[in-house]
Amino acid sequence: MTATAPRYMTRFRCLADACEDTCCAGLVVTVSEARWKRLRDAVAGGPDAARVDAFIRPDDGSGPGAEAAVIAKREDGHCAFLDERKLCSLHRAHGEAVLPDACATFPRVATRWGERLEVVGSLACPEVARLCLLAEDGVELGPASEDVAVRPEIARRIGGDAWTEHAEAVRAVAVRLLQRREVPFASRLFALGQLALRLDGFYFRGTEAFSRGAESLPTEQPQAAVSDEAETLLADVLRSFDAPETLTELHDGFSALVLPGGPWAGICATVLKSRMGSVRSERFGTFARAVLASYGGAESPDEVWRIHSERRQQLNPVLADRVEQYFRQHAVNHWLRHPFTDAPTLLDYVFRLTLRASVLRWALFGHPTVVALCESGAEDAARLDAAAVECFQLIAKHVEQAPELHSLAQGLAGQGGAETLGRMLVLLKGL
Ligand code: SF4
């Protein structure tokens, strides 16, 4: 078994009590039946037995990723087992082996691609966000020691059908597109949307095109391609999107489109507001209130768009390059951290990534530090970096995987195909 990881993951060390956040703050921590039993066995007859009985309760199944049990939270959103130094009291007394999988592995996410184990980090951890976003080479995949994974035995396995067997090849082209800096970030996402649309008719979850052959391919494809195998068509499409002229042509077409920014600003504000009532985290609450206040309460989408675009024009050009890096690294890490094969189609995945990037862009330019940098025109990369880490980490932790964002994305995306790509344009124009 070989292991790979982005460079930032090989540099990662948990900051423990020096961390500005706590892994479990504001999140639901679930416990599997096996880990629950193991923990009960470990504390049996000791001083922690009563606490484990009281604070770990059967999961009612209402949350995402339901398991046998969930750990209770204190009023401030922190885990009931956290001690006064912000460290886990169960870990300290009984060791790593008794922890639920989510606690033991966070912020690492391990996936098996065939024989290869890939370990990526979650930007919900501020140290991962820092290492991933701020180092130019942070998201480069390279060999890593298997020690980079914790509990590799629970790594997800990707593969087993045509949708997943071709996923690495598709992902590689997508990641290369995202890294092509000769056109703006929004144009690269638009190109990803076009790539997804080209594949939409025959490459999706549950596709049988690869087993039945040419007759299941979409008829609107060129005749020569229709007569080929699905593998050949897939390879042709991927090759064409690797060609520099494809991206340039798509960029030319995309940049000629004129769309209003108000709807984009309205969608971003809706996402943030939807989370404010349900997240129990003082850090997130303070951040979200500051962002909304900076946009005057975000009641008028057109006015919010005016404020937002003005700030972006004011930002020092050196810092604008830095912002491009954050979004590029975030998007690449998203492809590594969240296999697109979890989505029903590639287009659905790209649409949701575009929505996430939109909310991040809008929130970043509402961060008080970024607002001050825009207004002064100062070239203070360290302050911008600190604001970006806070923004990306809090949004990753409390917004990006939230049910509110998923249901909004579902409604916005429409019926799929050209309709979804058309709706994606509204989001892209704000990026
Ligand atoms: S959020 Fe990251 S750095 Fe902070 S305590 Fe958790 S794993 Fe460590």
Side-chain angles (χ1 to χ4, degrees):
M1 170 74 65
T2 57
T4 53
R7 281 185 197 271
Y8 73 79
M9 215 53 228
T10 63
R11 298 164 180 157
F12 171 76
R13 300 287 175 274
C14 173
L15 301 180
D17 55 348
C19 179
E20 63 263 55
D21 202 349
T22 311
C23 321
C24 45
L27 295 183
V28 175
V29 178
T30 57
V31 189
S32 68
E33 190 66 56
R35 288 285 161 192
W36 195 11
K37 179 177 184 318
R38 189 167 182 158
L39 178 57
R40 282 196 304 249
D41 290 348
V43 300
D48 284 326
R51 292 199 314 141
V52 166
D53 257 4
F55 296 146
I56 304 188
R57 309 303 309 158
D59 193 340
D60 65 9
S62 59
E67 284 270 16
V70 290
I71 299 184
K73 290 297 172 73
R74 302 190 313 223
E75 210 31 57
D76 61 3
H78 283 105
C79 176
F81 292 106
L82 213 62
D83 68 15
E84 59 293 341
R85 289 178 53 215
K86 290 202 320 176
L87 297 175
C88 173
S89 58
L90 291 177
H91 189 185
R92 182 165 39 75
H94 306 283
E96 189 262 359
V98 305
L99 299 183
D101 290 331
C103 305
T105 57
F106 186 86
R108 303 162 191 82
V109 182
T111 309
R112 287 182 197 276
W113 296 84
E115 286 303 299
R116 187 170 58 80
L117 181 71
E118 187 173 284
V119 183
V120 183
S122 164
L123 267 61
C125 161
E127 182 63 358
V128 165
R130 221 171 340 261
L131 295 168
C132 172
L133 301 176
L134 306 188
E136 176 80 38
D137 66 350
V139 291
E140 278 175 20
L141 270 181
S145 151
E146 281 202 32
D147 301 348
V148 78
V150 176
R151 299 189 186 169
E153 68 278 10
I154 61 165
R156 290 184 54 195
R157 187 175 288 283
I158 304 285
D161 60 8
W163 173 235
T164 51
E165 292 297 341
H166 294 284
E168 270 198 277
V170 174
R171 188 182 77 166
V173 172
V175 167
R176 280 197 290 276
L177 265 177
L178 284 168
Q179 289 172 322
R180 299 264 298 280
R181 295 165 65 184
E182 65 268 29
V183 301
F185 180 70
S187 295
R188 288 172 255 164
L189 281 180
F190 176 67
L192 282 181
Q194 289 287 353
L195 166 65
L197 189 63
R198 288 284 302 280
L199 301 181
D200 210 41
F202 69 100
Y203 179 65
F204 48 83
R205 190 164 68 201
T207 178
E208 293 181 3
F210 293 79
S211 48
R212 284 195 282 127
E215 75 276 10
S216 60
L217 297 178
T219 50
E220 64 268 22
Q221 296 292 337
Q223 197 55 45
V226 172
S227 63
D228 280 340
E229 296 288 326
E231 275 87 359
T232 309
L233 181 54
L234 178 63
D236 286 348
V237 173
L238 294 182
R239 197 174 310 112
S240 75
F241 275 82
D242 254 344
E245 56 275 18
T246 303
L247 182 59
T248 313
E249 280 166 24
L250 289 171
H251 164 67
D252 290 345
F254 172 69
S255 51
L257 289 172
V258 179
L259 286 167
W264 176 84
I267 291 167
C268 295
T270 301
V271 172
L272 195 67
K273 286 177 179 174
S274 74
R275 292 298 289 152
M276 289 181 71
S278 40
V279 175
R280 280 196 293 162
S281 158
E282 193 43 46
R283 282 186 74 230
F284 177 76
T286 304
F287 163 77
R289 283 191 296 274
V291 170
L292 287 172
S294 92
Y295 287 120
E299 296 303 332
S300 160
D302 288 336
E303 176 61 6
V304 172
W305 172 247
R306 188 195 63 73
I307 297 170
H308 178 86
S309 35
E310 193 174 282
R311 284 178 192 158
R312 281 170 60 173
Q313 280 165 13
Q314 290 169 329
L315 189 71
N316 186 295
V318 172
L319 298 191
D321 276 354
R322 196 93 188 126
V323 169
E324 190 280 333
Q325 177 175 310
Y326 307 147
F327 281 87
R328 176 166 30 95
Q329 310 272 80
H330 167 268
V332 170
N333 196 62
H334 187 82
W335 280 83
L336 303 180
R337 158 76 181 81
H338 301 281
F340 73 81
T341 48
D342 287 349
T345 67
L346 191 61
L347 190 53
D348 182 83
Y349 181 84
V350 174
F351 183 90
R352 286 165 191 263
L353 170 60
T354 306
L355 178 59
R356 289 183 169 98
S358 294
V359 174
L360 277 167
R361 176 87 65 177
W362 178 82
L364 181 65
F365 279 87
H367 190 293
T369 302
V370 180
V371 174
L373 287 170
C374 292
E375 286 172 356
S376 67
E379 189 192 313
D380 190 338
R383 285 180 68 207
L384 182 69
D385 284 352
V389 167
E390 182 177 51
C391 174
F392 279 73
Q393 185 255 328
L394 288 171
I395 297 282
K397 185 165 184 176
H398 299 294
V399 179
E400 285 203 34
Q401 303 307 317
E404 291 91 341
L405 185 118
H406 286 293
S407 43
L408 185 72
Q410 206 149 359
L412 288 173
Q415 298 300 310
E419 181 184 345
T420 296
L421 187 61
R423 290 173 173 221
M424 202 173 115
L425 290 175
V426 174
L427 297 174
L428 287 170
K429 271 295 162 180
L431 274 170

